Amino acid sequence: MSTAPTRVAIVTGGSRGIGRRTVERLAADGFAVVVNYAGNRAEAEAAVTAVTEAGGRAIAVRADVADEDAVAALFDAAEEAFGGVDVVVHAAGTMYLSPVADLDLDALDRMHRTNIRGTFVVDRQAARRLRGGGAIINFSSSVLGLAMPGYAAYAATKGAVEAVTLVLARELRGRDITVNAVAPGPTATALFLDGKDEETIARMAAQPPLERLGTPEDIAEVVAFLAGPGRWVNGQVVRANGGIV
């Protein structure tokens, strides 16, 4: 009796935060996982170890998501190790907060390179190389709809991610590949918590009707749904934010 081939996922930004929890969640669902990281090899290897000790399969591959050659090599590594790619979770991103009047344009350019160019580079390879039945899952942010002061530059990059997501879903007509974005609300990750005092964190935790911050596990559950059973969800932005409007 033949067995179905192992499904394979690439998770960019997979060494920490939401990406790390997504790696572990997809591995628990039976995916072989490629943990992409930009610089922190130790944390990426720790993610691989966590997966393998739980009985799963994973490798770590370094790549700058905005470098087209590095991202092509990332997909090559996935295909060489596991035979193909079925799901791409593009969780890598960077955030710089500033009022528009005080914006450091060099910081803006760096954020654009990772968040916008990186999305195009990763999605381009995914569109070319995913197997049928696959899924592309990008990351936006619920701050895009909240219009919070200081977030203009970051929200602008995530607006671009949403635009790419919706268009790409339509460009892949006939390929049996879904394309969606997840837009977390305030989530207790190092990226979110860095530089915020306790009062600010408490105020943001009180915003959703569920009256808490999201957790990386909350977001990983949404990703796992879109990567697996959620085949009829396509060309959508899922605002996983506990009900903030």
Side-chain angles (χ1 to χ4, degrees):
M1 185 175 67
S2 63
T3 58
T6 299
R7 299 192 78 208
V8 180
I10 293 173
V11 181
T12 71
S15 64
R16 292 184 288 181
I18 291 169
R20 168 69 178 270
R21 292 297 174 264
T22 296
V23 165
E24 295 175 355
R25 182 66 175 80
L26 293 180
D29 284 348
F31 281 85
V33 185
V34 178
V35 181
N36 161 252
Y37 66 100
N40 197 322
R41 179 176 179 178
E43 292 206 37
E45 293 291 354
V48 169
T49 298
V51 168
T52 56
E53 288 183 348
R57 300 168 69 196
I59 60 172
V61 179
R62 184 181 184 278
D64 172 358
V65 295
D67 181 328
E68 61 268 37
D69 293 331
V71 170
L74 169 66
F75 278 75
D76 289 343
E79 291 173 351
E80 181 177 350
F82 301 124
V85 182
D86 301 285
V87 169
V88 171
V89 181
H90 181 39
T94 187
M95 181 167 64
Y96 169 74
L97 303 182
S98 169
V100 172
D102 302 323
L103 187 62
D104 179 334
L105 296 179
D106 288 337
L108 175 69
D109 289 343
R110 291 193 297 272
M111 190 161 56
H112 276 204
R113 185 177 188 277
T114 298
N115 295 1
I116 299 179
R117 179 185 169 90
T119 298
F120 273 103
V121 170
V122 171
D123 283 7
R124 184 175 71 158
Q125 285 295 323
R128 293 173 177 178
R129 300 170 73 162
L130 253 60
R131 296 186 286 208
I136 299 169
I137 302 161
N138 292 322
F139 265 77
S140 181
S141 170
S142 286
V143 302
L144 185 58
L146 297 176
M148 296 167 59
Y151 282 82
Y154 178 70
T157 69
K158 294 305 185 178
V161 170
E162 293 193 9
V164 173
T165 299
L166 302 185
V167 172
L168 182 57
R170 287 147 181 82
E171 291 180 347
L172 295 184
R173 173 180 292 274
R175 292 274 306 279
D176 190 25
I177 295 170
T178 62
V179 188
N180 295 288
V182 177
T187 304
T189 66
L191 179 70
F192 170 78
L193 296 172
D194 184 43
K196 294 183 175 70
D197 58 31
E198 290 186 10
E199 181 182 354
T200 299
I201 293 168
R203 185 177 68 252
M204 297 185 81
Q207 286 181 312
L210 297 178
E211 295 188 332
R212 65 173 176 85
L213 294 176
T215 67
E217 290 80 4
D218 290 328
I219 309 306
E221 288 289 341
V222 177
V223 173
F225 172 73
L226 295 174
R231 299 301 303 165
W232 200 233
V233 181
N234 189 28
Q236 304 298 318
V237 178
V238 181
R239 304 206 179 282
N241 60 26
I244 296 175
V245 293

